[in-house]
Amino acid sequence: MKNLLVIAATLLLATISCPAQTITLNNDLIFGNVFPGIPKTITKYSVGSAAEFHVAGTSGSEISIQFALPTYMHGSGFNIEMIFFNTDCSIDTLASPSQTSPLFDNLNPWTTLVYRLGSAGLTLWLGGTAIPKAAQPPGSYTATIVLTVAYTGA
Amino acid sequence: MNKKGVERKFAAVVVAAIICFSLSVNRVQAQDVATGAATATVLAALSVIAAQNLIFGNIYQGVASTVANNINASSGIFNILGQGSAGISISFVLPQFIALADGSDRMTIGFSSTDATVDSNNTTPATVVAGDGWINTNPNNLPAATVIGAAGQTNVYLGGRVYPSVDQAAGAYSGDIILTVAYNGT
């Protein structure tokens, strides 16, 4: 009976000591003005234009990171093709993350990434390329980028 | 404490633990999802219109005829429409001769290195001035710094010269003049 009490208490402590991880979107992936017929690339190093996400949680915990990436941006019934290369993502887990010189660079956003949260969490950047057609109708185009993170338990 | 008392106490602790566990489980997220966006604004599409042919009109056998690039009624006129102030690359493909429709005779046509004018202020061949763009420039090497005018239009005016032979067959001669325009991303 005493053992059961200990197990219950341990279970309680274990669940309480595991805070949730949270993602904050700091910046969208912003291509700005695009000329018809001229592909435009935003690199992951481009401050204010590359997508930036911050993940907070338990320092030292391992998390899995997965993007759901669009293949087109949509606007007014038309599409612009998008390309994400297998080096378009970077991550920094340092307390003062650097977008221009990240700790982990040239990561593949199409695969599940696994990293440990640093003392200040983890920051991700994502670049991409838009390929408008020569006769691309003018206007605003958007697409959704979904980022999912989860503790791995390690 | 008797056995029943101990069991009741144990049961109470277990229930409390389960309740706390349930509450704490609610505070733990298995995962988190964030949604960002990719955004872009596509600028005006580029188009070019041959607004007026290069018209030599009636010519005589053996007498060369010239049309300057500043004649409203006869200079070749091309209108380029697109995003105001955007940089463009433009180039002509100019014919070496014009021909009868049935191809039975040809007439030599030539373009000098001053036969084109680029007008980014959308004026006319007769009124364009140096401040509007490039006057009397080379149609075989149009300026690399050409931009669409701030109002969204740039015109190109073209002159040329034909050289009919003394035994040139009578009739209507024509040839294609092709102007290719593309954004250069600036």
Side-chain angles (χ1 to χ4, degrees):
Chain A
M1 190 186 317
K2 191 182 286 182
N3 288 342
L4 285 174
L5 284 173
V6 170
I7 290 169
T10 304
L11 187 61
L12 184 60
L13 289 172
T15 54
I16 288 174
S17 66
C18 183
Q21 74 280 44
T22 58
I23 312 174
T24 304
L25 170 67
N26 291 338
N27 204 67
D28 287 328
L29 176 56
I30 302 169
F31 288 95
N33 290 338
V34 174
F35 290 103
I38 308 279
K40 186 170 186 177
T41 295
I42 299 296
T43 74
K44 54 190 176 290
Y45 311 117
S46 180
V47 178
S49 295
E52 180 180 305
F53 297 86
H54 181 258
V55 182
T58 304
S59 175
S61 295
E62 186 180 83
I63 59 169
S64 65
I65 301 158
Q66 195 159 26
F67 282 104
L69 298 172
T71 50
Y72 291 94
M73 285 187 283
H74 310 281
S76 303
F78 299 96
N79 295 329
I80 294 180
E81 186 181 356
M82 296 187 71
I83 292 178
F84 294 94
F85 293 103
N86 59 10
T87 57
D88 269 344
C89 182
S90 61
I91 288 176
D92 200 332
T93 58
L94 298 176
S96 298
S98 169
Q99 182 170 0
T100 54
S101 183
L103 191 59
F104 306 103
D105 202 358
N106 298 323
L107 307 176
N108 186 350
W110 292 103
T111 62
T112 299
L113 304 169
V114 178
Y115 285 88
R116 290 188 182 279
L117 294 174
S119 60
L122 175 154
T123 304
L124 298 95
W125 296 277
L126 178 71
T129 300
I131 306 179
K133 293 185 282 290
Q136 191 74 47
S140 296
Y141 292 74
T142 62
T144 300
I145 297 169
V146 180
L147 177 66
T148 303
V149 300
Y151 286 118
T152 65
Chain B
M1 192 178 293
N2 59 27
K3 188 179 177 186
K4 277 193 173 179
V6 171
E7 286 176 349
R8 275 199 296 271
K9 190 173 180 182
F10 171 70
V13 169
V14 169
V15 168
I18 290 170
I19 291 171
C20 290
F21 174 67
S22 300
L23 291 173
S24 63
V25 164
N26 288 338
R27 291 204 303 270
V28 175
Q29 282 180 268
Q31 65 177 26
D32 193 22
V33 178
T35 301
T39 65
T41 301
V42 175
L43 301 175
L46 196 58
S47 64
V48 59
I49 300 165
Q52 179 170 278
N53 291 329
L54 173 58
I55 303 168
F56 290 95
N58 293 332
I59 58 175
Y60 296 97
Q61 292 168 318
V63 180
S65 178
T66 298
V67 171
N69 62 21
N70 62 351
I71 310 298
N72 286 347
S74 55
S75 299
I77 300 176
F78 296 84
N79 301 142
I80 302 166
L81 309 174
Q83 182 67 36
S85 303
I88 53 173
S89 299
I90 58 175
S91 61
F92 273 118
V93 176
L94 299 171
Q96 294 180 308
F97 57 85
I98 54 180
L100 291 171
D102 63 5
S104 61
D105 201 1
R106 295 175 172 181
M107 186 189 315
T108 300
I109 185 170
F111 300 90
S112 76
S113 60
T114 59
D115 267 343
T117 287
V118 178
D119 169 17
S120 293
N121 281 337
N122 192 23
T123 62
T124 67
T127 58
V128 63
V129 294
D132 296 320
W134 288 266
I135 303 290
N136 299 332
T137 191
N138 188 349
N140 287 302
N141 186 21
L142 292 169
T146 301
V147 297
I148 301 282
Q153 180 170 341
T154 283
N155 299 332
V156 180
Y157 311 128
L158 181 67
R161 186 173 178 86
V162 289
Y163 303 90
S165 63
V166 293
D167 60 348
Q168 192 78 49
Y173 289 73
S174 66
D176 289 336
I177 296 171
I178 300 170
L179 179 63
T180 301
V181 182
Y183 283 122
N184 59 22
T186 62

